[in-house]
Amino acid sequence: MLTDVIRAIDYSDCAEIALALFCFAFGLMFFATMRLSRNATDRFAAIPLSDNVETPRDGQ
């Protein structure tokens, strides 16, 4: 019974669903990145150069 189910699965549909999920997640991250203010972007960029541990989102 399980082997019949596995044989019946069309894996090309799985690939298309995975591609759609990837595009959705990529678009969501792109949108979130574009919504950041210039000040927040500058503070995020300064994290690797700073010795202080701070959260850039605290100052918004």
Side-chain angles (χ1 to χ4, degrees):
M1 173 143 176
L2 184 58
T3 57
D4 293 334
V5 171
I6 291 177
R7 285 183 190 152
I9 294 175
D10 184 16
Y11 290 107
S12 64
D13 292 338
C14 295
E16 292 172 3
I17 292 170
L19 178 62
L21 286 174
F22 171 77
C23 291
F24 176 74
F26 187 83
L28 192 63
M29 292 305 296
F30 180 77
F31 179 70
T33 302
M34 290 297 115
R35 285 190 57 223
L36 284 175
S37 68
R38 181 69 175 178
N39 188 19
T41 304
D42 290 340
R43 287 184 289 156
F44 276 125
I47 289 174
L49 304 175
S50 175
D51 289 333
N52 303 10
V53 178
E54 58 185 61
T55 305
R57 292 182 188 259
D58 287 344
Q60 288 184 348

